[in-house]
Amino acid sequence: MHRNQELYHFLMENSKQMTEDWYSMVEDQDASSIYSTKDPKIINALKEQNQDYYLHLHKLFIEEESQFFSEFEKWSKELASDQKHLNTPDHYVVREFMRTQDVYTNYINNFYKQNIEKVSVDQLFSWLDIIRKVFNLSIYIYIDEAHRNTMKQLEAQKQMINELSSPVIRLQNKTALLPLIGDIDTARAKLILENTLIQCAELKIEHLCIDLSGVAIIDTMVAHEIFNLIKTLKLLGVESTLSGIRPEIAQTAIQLGLDFDEVRTTASLANALEQINT
Protein backbone atom coordinates (compact mmCIF):
# COMPACT_ATOMS: atom_id res chain seq x y z
CA MET A 1 0.00 0.00 0.00
CA HIS A 2 2.94 2.33 0.59
CA ARG A 3 4.45 2.03 -2.92
CA ASN A 4 3.77 4.89 -5.32
CA GLN A 5 5.79 5.74 -8.43
CA GLU A 6 4.55 9.33 -8.60
CA LEU A 7 5.56 10.03 -5.02
CA TYR A 8 8.95 8.44 -5.66
CA HIS A 9 9.62 10.70 -8.68
CA PHE A 10 8.39 13.75 -6.77
CA LEU A 11 10.81 13.05 -3.93
CA MET A 12 13.70 12.34 -6.32
CA GLU A 13 13.10 15.67 -8.11
CA ASN A 14 13.16 17.53 -4.79
CA SER A 15 15.99 15.65 -3.09
CA LYS A 16 18.60 18.40 -3.33
CA GLN A 17 16.19 21.04 -2.07
CA MET A 18 15.22 18.76 0.82
CA THR A 19 18.86 18.66 1.89
CA GLU A 20 19.13 22.45 1.64
CA ASP A 21 15.96 22.79 3.70
CA TRP A 22 17.42 20.48 6.33
CA TYR A 23 20.73 22.30 6.54
CA SER A 24 19.00 25.67 6.83
CA MET A 25 17.49 24.37 10.09
CA VAL A 26 20.88 23.39 11.56
CA GLU A 27 21.92 25.65 14.41
CA ASP A 28 24.67 24.41 16.67
CA GLN A 29 27.08 26.36 18.84
CA ASP A 30 28.63 23.37 20.62
CA ALA A 31 32.23 22.92 19.42
CA SER A 32 32.00 19.17 20.18
CA SER A 33 29.25 18.77 17.57
CA ILE A 34 30.10 18.18 13.93
CA TYR A 35 27.08 20.32 13.02
CA SER A 36 28.75 23.47 14.41
CA THR A 37 31.50 23.37 11.77
CA LYS A 38 32.18 26.32 9.48
CA ASP A 39 34.52 24.30 7.28
CA PRO A 40 33.04 24.26 3.72
CA LYS A 41 34.43 20.78 3.05
CA ILE A 42 32.81 19.30 6.16
CA ILE A 43 29.55 21.13 5.45
CA ASN A 44 29.53 19.74 1.93
CA ALA A 45 30.24 16.24 3.29
CA LEU A 46 27.31 16.58 5.72
CA LYS A 47 25.02 17.63 2.88
CA GLU A 48 26.20 14.72 0.72
CA GLN A 49 25.57 12.30 3.59
CA ASN A 50 22.10 13.75 4.15
CA GLN A 51 21.39 13.53 0.42
CA ASP A 52 22.53 9.92 0.33
CA TYR A 53 20.19 9.18 3.25
CA TYR A 54 17.25 10.68 1.34
CA LEU A 55 18.08 8.76 -1.84
CA HIS A 56 18.11 5.49 0.09
CA LEU A 57 14.89 6.44 1.82
CA HIS A 58 13.10 7.24 -1.45
CA LYS A 59 13.44 3.58 -2.48
CA LEU A 60 10.82 2.79 0.13
CA PHE A 61 8.14 3.85 -2.36
CA ILE A 62 9.22 1.53 -5.18
CA GLU A 63 10.33 -1.58 -3.29
CA GLU A 64 8.67 -4.29 -1.24
CA GLU A 65 8.69 -3.38 2.45
CA SER A 66 10.72 -6.41 3.57
CA GLN A 67 13.31 -5.91 0.82
CA PHE A 68 13.64 -2.21 1.60
CA PHE A 69 14.10 -2.66 5.36
CA SER A 70 16.63 -5.45 4.89
CA GLU A 71 18.86 -3.35 2.60
CA PHE A 72 18.25 -0.10 4.49
CA GLU A 73 19.29 -1.66 7.80
CA LYS A 74 22.61 -2.86 6.34
CA TRP A 75 23.32 0.56 4.85
CA SER A 76 22.32 2.35 8.07
CA LYS A 77 24.80 0.30 10.09
CA GLU A 78 27.60 1.44 7.79
CA LEU A 79 26.41 5.04 8.11
CA ALA A 80 26.22 4.78 11.91
CA SER A 81 29.89 3.76 12.11
CA ASP A 82 31.01 7.15 10.77
CA GLN A 83 33.54 8.30 13.40
CA LYS A 84 32.79 12.00 12.93
CA HIS A 85 29.21 11.41 14.07
CA LEU A 86 30.23 8.97 16.79
CA ASN A 87 32.41 11.75 18.23
CA THR A 88 29.38 14.06 18.33
CA PRO A 89 27.13 13.92 21.45
CA ASP A 90 24.25 11.51 20.77
CA HIS A 91 21.45 14.02 21.38
CA TYR A 92 22.74 16.24 18.56
CA VAL A 93 22.72 13.38 16.08
CA VAL A 94 19.22 12.28 17.17
CA ARG A 95 18.05 15.90 16.85
CA GLU A 96 19.24 16.00 13.22
CA PHE A 97 17.49 12.71 12.47
CA MET A 98 14.28 14.30 13.75
CA ARG A 99 14.83 17.45 11.68
CA THR A 100 15.47 15.28 8.62
CA GLN A 101 12.22 13.46 9.34
CA ASP A 102 10.34 16.78 9.63
CA VAL A 103 11.62 17.87 6.21
CA TYR A 104 10.69 14.52 4.67
CA THR A 105 7.17 14.45 6.06
CA ASN A 106 6.64 18.06 4.92
CA TYR A 107 7.40 17.06 1.33
CA ILE A 108 5.08 14.08 1.56
CA ASN A 109 2.35 16.39 2.85
CA ASN A 110 3.05 18.76 -0.05
CA PHE A 111 2.72 15.89 -2.50
CA TYR A 112 -0.59 14.96 -0.90
CA LYS A 113 -1.91 18.52 -1.20
CA GLN A 114 -0.91 18.64 -4.86
CA ASN A 115 -2.62 15.31 -5.54
CA ILE A 116 -5.50 15.42 -3.10
CA GLU A 117 -7.91 14.14 -5.71
CA LYS A 118 -5.82 11.02 -6.33
CA VAL A 119 -4.42 10.28 -2.88
CA SER A 120 -6.64 9.27 0.02
CA VAL A 121 -6.10 10.32 3.64
CA ASP A 122 -5.56 6.67 4.52
CA GLN A 123 -2.78 6.50 1.95
CA LEU A 124 -1.15 9.60 3.41
CA PHE A 125 -1.32 8.15 6.92
CA SER A 126 0.22 4.89 5.76
CA TRP A 127 3.14 6.81 4.24
CA LEU A 128 3.68 8.86 7.37
CA ASP A 129 3.47 5.75 9.53
CA ILE A 130 6.05 3.79 7.57
CA ILE A 131 8.35 6.83 7.42
CA ARG A 132 8.16 7.03 11.21
CA LYS A 133 9.22 3.37 11.41
CA VAL A 134 12.21 4.02 9.13
CA PHE A 135 13.46 6.95 11.20
CA ASN A 136 12.94 5.04 14.44
CA LEU A 137 15.07 2.26 12.97
CA SER A 138 17.77 4.75 11.96
CA ILE A 139 17.91 6.27 15.42
CA TYR A 140 17.98 2.85 17.09
CA ILE A 141 20.84 1.65 14.85
CA TYR A 142 22.85 4.81 15.48
CA ILE A 143 22.36 4.69 19.28
CA ASP A 144 23.31 1.00 19.31
CA GLU A 145 26.48 1.65 17.30
CA ALA A 146 27.34 4.66 19.48
CA HIS A 147 26.95 2.48 22.58
CA ARG A 148 29.22 -0.19 21.10
CA ASN A 149 31.79 2.47 20.24
CA THR A 150 31.65 3.91 23.77
CA MET A 151 32.11 0.48 25.35
CA LYS A 152 35.11 -0.23 23.10
CA GLN A 153 36.70 3.08 24.11
CA LEU A 154 36.04 2.44 27.80
CA GLU A 155 37.53 -1.03 27.56
CA ALA A 156 40.59 0.31 25.76
CA GLN A 157 41.00 3.05 28.36
CA LYS A 158 40.58 0.56 31.20
CA GLN A 159 43.19 -1.70 29.66
CA MET A 160 45.60 1.21 29.29
CA ILE A 161 45.00 2.37 32.87
CA ASN A 162 45.57 -1.15 34.18
CA GLU A 163 48.79 -1.50 32.21
CA LEU A 164 50.06 1.91 33.31
CA SER A 165 49.06 1.26 36.91
CA SER A 166 51.31 -1.79 37.24
CA PRO A 167 54.62 -0.78 35.67
CA VAL A 168 57.83 -2.60 36.49
CA ILE A 169 60.42 0.18 36.82
CA ARG A 170 63.98 -0.99 36.24
CA LEU A 171 66.48 0.43 38.75
CA GLN A 172 70.03 -0.94 38.76
CA ASN A 173 71.92 -4.21 39.24
CA LYS A 174 68.98 -6.16 37.76
CA THR A 175 66.60 -4.79 40.42
CA ALA A 176 63.21 -3.27 39.76
CA LEU A 177 60.28 -1.60 41.50
CA LEU A 178 56.57 -2.39 41.17
CA PRO A 179 54.65 0.48 42.83
CA LEU A 180 50.97 -0.43 43.29
CA ILE A 181 48.55 2.45 43.75
CA GLY A 182 44.79 2.68 44.29
CA ASP A 183 42.11 0.03 44.62
CA ILE A 184 42.99 -3.44 43.42
CA ASP A 185 40.17 -5.78 42.50
CA THR A 186 40.55 -9.41 41.44
CA ALA A 187 40.63 -8.60 37.71
CA ARG A 188 43.36 -5.98 38.14
CA ALA A 189 45.33 -8.28 40.46
CA LYS A 190 45.40 -10.99 37.78
CA LEU A 191 46.49 -8.45 35.19
CA ILE A 192 49.27 -7.23 37.51
CA LEU A 193 50.47 -10.82 37.91
CA GLU A 194 50.55 -11.41 34.14
CA ASN A 195 52.21 -8.08 33.26
CA THR A 196 54.77 -8.32 36.05
CA LEU A 197 55.90 -11.79 35.05
CA ILE A 198 56.28 -10.75 31.41
CA GLN A 199 58.15 -7.51 32.25
CA CYS A 200 60.49 -9.19 34.75
CA ALA A 201 61.38 -11.84 32.18
CA GLU A 202 61.95 -9.26 29.43
CA LEU A 203 64.07 -7.02 31.68
CA LYS A 204 65.94 -10.00 33.21
CA ILE A 205 65.10 -8.82 36.72
CA GLU A 206 66.58 -10.71 39.68
CA HIS A 207 65.10 -8.73 42.56
CA LEU A 208 61.71 -6.99 42.58
CA CYS A 209 60.40 -4.63 45.24
CA ILE A 210 56.59 -4.65 45.42
CA ASP A 211 55.50 -1.47 47.16
CA LEU A 212 51.98 -1.49 48.69
CA SER A 213 52.11 1.88 50.45
CA GLY A 214 49.67 3.34 47.90
CA VAL A 215 47.11 0.56 48.43
CA ALA A 216 44.54 1.09 51.19
CA ILE A 217 42.46 -2.10 51.00
CA ILE A 218 43.12 -5.60 49.72
CA ASP A 219 40.48 -8.31 49.79
CA THR A 220 40.96 -12.06 50.19
CA MET A 221 41.29 -12.87 46.49
CA VAL A 222 43.70 -10.01 45.82
CA ALA A 223 45.94 -11.02 48.76
CA HIS A 224 46.13 -14.52 47.31
CA GLU A 225 47.01 -13.13 43.86
CA ILE A 226 49.88 -11.05 45.31
CA PHE A 227 51.30 -14.06 47.13
CA ASN A 228 50.87 -16.16 43.99
CA LEU A 229 52.86 -13.49 42.16
CA ILE A 230 55.68 -13.74 44.71
CA LYS A 231 55.74 -17.55 44.48
CA THR A 232 55.70 -17.50 40.68
CA LEU A 233 58.47 -14.90 40.56
CA LYS A 234 60.56 -17.15 42.80
CA LEU A 235 60.16 -20.00 40.32
CA LEU A 236 61.54 -17.64 37.69
CA GLY A 237 64.51 -16.85 39.90
CA VAL A 238 63.25 -13.43 40.98
CA GLU A 239 63.45 -12.57 44.67
CA SER A 240 60.71 -10.29 45.99
CA THR A 241 60.47 -7.73 48.76
CA LEU A 242 57.16 -6.36 50.03
CA SER A 243 57.28 -2.80 51.32
CA GLY A 244 54.79 -0.34 52.78
CA ILE A 245 52.30 -2.93 54.02
CA ARG A 246 49.52 -1.17 55.93
CA PRO A 247 48.33 -2.65 59.27
CA GLU A 248 44.92 -3.56 57.89
CA ILE A 249 46.49 -5.38 54.96
CA ALA A 250 48.83 -7.25 57.30
CA GLN A 251 45.84 -8.31 59.42
CA THR A 252 44.02 -9.58 56.35
CA ALA A 253 47.05 -11.64 55.33
CA ILE A 254 47.42 -13.15 58.81
CA GLN A 255 43.70 -14.01 58.99
CA LEU A 256 44.07 -15.78 55.65
CA GLY A 257 46.94 -17.81 57.02
CA LEU A 258 49.38 -16.50 54.42
CA ASP A 259 52.96 -17.40 55.22
CA PHE A 260 55.40 -14.48 55.40
CA ASP A 261 58.36 -16.64 56.45
CA GLU A 262 59.80 -16.80 52.95
CA VAL A 263 58.86 -13.21 52.00
CA ARG A 264 61.17 -10.31 52.75
CA THR A 265 59.18 -7.34 54.10
CA THR A 266 60.11 -3.79 55.03
CA ALA A 267 58.22 -0.89 56.56
CA SER A 268 58.93 1.51 53.70
CA LEU A 269 60.08 1.66 50.12
CA ALA A 270 63.26 3.48 51.20
CA ASN A 271 64.17 0.62 53.52
CA ALA A 272 63.48 -1.93 50.81
CA LEU A 273 65.73 -0.18 48.28
CA GLU A 274 68.46 0.22 50.89
CA GLN A 275 68.39 -3.50 51.68
CA ILE A 276 68.43 -4.45 48.02
CA ASN A 277 71.43 -2.26 47.26
CA THR A 278 73.49 -3.45 50.24
Side-chain angles (χ1 to χ4, degrees):
M1 184 176 181
H2 65 278
R3 287 185 295 174
N4 187 291
Q5 286 283 347
E6 291 184 31
L7 174 58
Y8 171 75
H9 291 304
F10 173 81
L11 294 171
M12 289 293 292
E13 290 171 1
N14 288 280
S15 277
K16 290 186 178 180
Q17 187 55 49
M18 292 167 75
T19 292
E20 293 301 324
D21 290 352
W22 163 73
Y23 194 75
S24 69
M25 299 166 64
V26 174
E27 277 186 39
D28 208 329
Q29 303 302 318
D30 190 334
S32 66
S33 170
I34 190 175
Y35 303 107
S36 66
T37 183
K38 302 300 181 184
D39 186 330
K41 291 183 179 179
I42 298 179
I43 292 173
N44 188 56
L46 285 172
K47 288 183 177 181
E48 288 180 354
Q49 200 170 55
N50 179 267
Q51 179 67 190
D52 197 27
Y53 184 87
Y54 280 138
L55 292 176
H56 278 81
L57 186 53
H58 297 340
K59 294 178 183 179
L60 173 65
F61 299 103
I62 58 171
E63 295 180 350
E64 290 288 345
E65 184 174 342
S66 58
Q67 177 188 353
F68 169 81
F69 274 101
S70 176
E71 295 176 358
F72 187 80
E73 183 173 352
K74 293 178 183 177
W75 176 80
S76 293
K77 288 180 179 179
E78 295 177 5
L79 177 66
S81 63
D82 176 27
Q83 196 60 46
K84 294 190 296 297
H85 283 84
L86 290 174
N87 291 337
T88 296
D90 293 346
H91 60 284
Y92 292 135
V93 178
V94 172
R95 178 195 62 195
E96 296 312 320
F97 269 122
M98 297 179 73
R99 283 178 175 170
T100 300
Q101 181 178 3
D102 288 341
V103 171
Y104 206 80
T105 54
N106 283 339
Y107 274 82
I108 290 180
N109 282 323
N110 289 338
F111 176 81
Y112 169 72
K113 291 174 183 177
Q114 294 174 22
N115 297 272
I116 196 166
E117 295 180 356
K118 296 188 293 183
V119 179
S120 67
V121 174
D122 288 341
Q123 179 71 81
L124 172 64
F125 285 164
S126 72
W127 289 338
L128 296 178
D129 183 58
I130 199 167
I131 286 299
R132 177 183 57 79
K133 291 179 181 178
V134 173
F135 277 93
N136 285 345
L137 175 63
S138 294
I139 292 172
Y140 170 79
I141 289 174
Y142 171 77
I143 294 296
D144 184 58
E145 184 63 30
H147 174 70
R148 291 175 186 271
N149 183 65
T150 298
M151 295 309 295
K152 286 180 182 178
Q153 291 180 339
L154 289 175
E155 185 60 33
Q157 290 171 0
K158 181 180 178 182
Q159 184 71 17
M160 181 180 296
I161 290 171
N162 284 335
E163 290 176 359
L164 292 175
S165 65
S166 58
V168 172
I169 304 170
R170 186 168 186 172
L171 301 176
Q172 59 183 351
N173 301 325
K174 296 185 178 181
T175 63
L177 167 65
L178 175 62
L180 299 180
I181 301 172
D183 296 334
I184 302 179
D185 58 15
T186 305
R188 185 184 167 198
K190 289 182 178 179
L191 189 62
I192 289 172
L193 188 150
E194 294 172 4
N195 289 342
T196 301
L197 294 176
I198 292 172
Q199 292 178 70
C200 283
E202 291 176 349
L203 297 173
K204 298 180 180 179
I205 300 301
E206 294 181 359
H207 202 132
L208 179 67
C209 176
I210 304 172
D211 184 57
L212 301 177
S213 57
V215 180
I217 300 174
I218 290 180
D219 65 18
T220 303
M221 293 300 295
V222 173
H224 273 296
E225 288 293 339
I226 290 176
F227 270 77
N228 285 338
L229 170 61
I230 293 171
K231 291 178 181 178
T232 308
L233 284 171
K234 190 171 184 178
L235 291 175
L236 296 178
V238 180
E239 294 296 326
S240 303
T241 299
L242 281 178
S243 66
I245 302 176
R246 294 171 180 265
E248 53 270 33
I249 294 176
Q251 288 179 349
T252 299
I254 294 299
Q255 290 170 359
L256 292 173
L258 298 177
D259 186 5
F260 281 87
D261 291 343
E262 297 183 6
V263 181
R264 183 186 296 182
T265 62
T266 64
S268 68
L269 175 58
N271 290 341
L273 296 178
E274 184 180 347
Q275 287 184 19
I276 291 174
N277 293 322
T278 56

